[in-house]
Each structure stands twice: as structure tokens, then as C-alpha cells.
Amino acid sequence: MPRSLADLRGKILDGTYPAGEPLPHTNDLKDTYGVGAHVITRAMKELKEEGLIWRVANRGMIVQRPAATIEIPMAIERRDEPTAWAAACRRAGSTGHLTQAPARSATATEEVARALQLPTGSPIVTWEEHGDIDGQLVCLGQTYVSKERHTASTFDVERSSGVVDLHTRIRLADPKEASKLRVSRSSSLLDLTRITYDDTGQPLHLLRRRINPQRVHIIDQRLPLTSP
């Protein structure tokens, strides 16, 4: 490991370079460590991939808070998810929020219709969610529910009978995701699909989440719904 990378990482973690402030200019770092520009560039690339810095236009490489990893349960009733997220952050010594945008009407794509067992093009309701830890966005989500279910009293599921089914895969972040989540385009994301079923096996909600796996761990699979 280059001395410059180890020293910069150490100074970020011990607060010598505080969160929210820019690192010294590349020319200054070259002089400090007596190395060429390519060494500093490589160090910046690795620190960015570790989530310790982020480039901001006209400011340079800005220090981010060291990663706080939360363990978030997924077998949680929809209305309890913000509480579960905040509690997971508190257990990790951090502050976090899961917020939802206003719902909007749409029509089901083939993928959404298949998951919810609806005809393609059926009316649905969908909304976005953002999960943050210490003010940094770490999770992007989208929930889908049939229009009929959204207006019915069965929209929320009884914990005694509901079940969730998770499917996950690892893939590279696309440019839009990388920008929003402040990760490199070469970084891996956890792409999660969760379907919530009632006691008759009817799918009620489809949730798609893209998660920075350096910040969020998923700790359950197919399980009954529980309290946060």
C-alpha cells in the first residue's frame, strides 16, 4: 500500500481532515509525499471507492464521514419501515432516516405486473424512498402496489400472517445511481427485490431497493413480518 494512501486514510479516519472539508490540492499532496501525480490520483480513486471522499465541482475532493454500517431487517411491515431504519442506525451509533415521496399513479410494467400477479398495464400506485445515514444517501427504493389494493383496507398486512420474499443480486452502479449514492461507477450495489404476501399467498407490495452494501447489510430472507 502506498504511504500516501495509508496516511491520507488515517488522517480522514482520525479527523485530521474533517468531514465536509476538502482535501489539500493534488500539487500540495505531491509535495507533501514526494510522489508523482499518478500516485495521488490512484490514492484518490481508492479513497473514493471506500466512500471516504467525494468530488464536488469547484471544491475538489470532499471528506465524507467514515462508513457506519447498519443491519436492517427486511421482514418489516411497510408502515413500520421508517422506525426500523432509524432504530438500526441508532444501534450503529448513527442517525438515519427512511423517507418516502408522495405516491403517484402509474401503469404496471411487465416486470411489476408479473411480481404483483396483475395484467401488464394495470393501474398501480408507486412512490420513491430514500434512506440516509448521517445525512448521506445510501439507499434508493421504489414501492409498487395495485391501485385496488392501495385504496382497500387490506393495504397493510397483519404481522401474524404476512410473509416477505427477498431476491438479491450484486451489480455495478449505473451513472445516475453512482452520482446519487456518491460511489464510483465501478462500485457494486445490492439490487434487492422484496414481495410482501398476505396469508392467502396474494402479493400485496413490490419493493425495489438499490443499496450501497458498504453501508447497509440485509439480515433476513423469507420470514414472517415482525415488529421493528
Side-chain angles (χ1 to χ4, degrees), residues 36-126:
H38 68 285
V39 175
I40 301 302
T41 298
R42 188 168 70 237
M44 294 297 155
K45 181 176 184 294
E46 294 202 28
L47 292 172
K48 186 176 178 184
E49 290 178 353
E50 292 173 16
L52 294 177
I53 60 174
W54 180 248
R55 181 179 293 281
V56 176
N58 299 321
R59 291 196 67 200
M61 289 296 189
I62 305 300
V63 176
Q64 299 192 102
R65 293 179 183 271
T69 302
I70 67 168
E71 294 188 344
I72 181 71
M74 293 299 295
I76 294 293
E77 192 171 349
R78 180 195 61 83
R79 61 190 169 191
D80 290 334
E81 286 196 292
T83 302
W85 185 278
C89 290
R90 285 195 299 272
R91 288 194 295 270
S94 301
T95 301
H97 306 87
L98 185 70
T99 57
Q100 296 178 341
R104 61 181 178 84
S105 298
T107 55
T109 63
E110 183 178 352
E111 179 184 13
V112 171
R114 183 169 59 250
L116 295 178
Q117 298 179 16
L118 299 170
T120 301
S122 294
I124 61 170
V125 174
T126 180

Side-chain angles (χ1 to χ4, degrees), residues 79-175:
R79 61 190 169 191
D80 290 334
E81 286 196 292
T83 302
W85 185 278
C89 290
R90 285 195 299 272
R91 288 194 295 270
S94 301
T95 301
H97 306 87
L98 185 70
T99 57
Q100 296 178 341
R104 61 181 178 84
S105 298
T107 55
T109 63
E110 183 178 352
E111 179 184 13
V112 171
R114 183 169 59 250
L116 295 178
Q117 298 179 16
L118 299 170
T120 301
S122 294
I124 61 170
V125 174
T126 180
W127 58 90
E128 294 181 357
E129 65 173 31
H130 288 170
D132 71 78
I133 304 175
D134 292 330
Q136 182 178 336
L137 187 65
V138 297
C139 168
L140 300 168
Q142 191 87 27
T143 297
Y144 306 87
V145 62
S146 76
K147 186 89 168 181
E148 180 181 0
R149 286 283 184 177
H150 185 257
T151 57
S153 60
T154 54
F155 181 42
D156 286 313
V157 187
E158 289 298 325
R159 294 189 183 99
S160 61
S161 59
V163 172
V164 301
D165 198 8
L166 297 185
H167 299 275
T168 60
R169 66 188 179 101
I170 298 291
R171 63 172 177 80
L172 297 182
D174 66 32

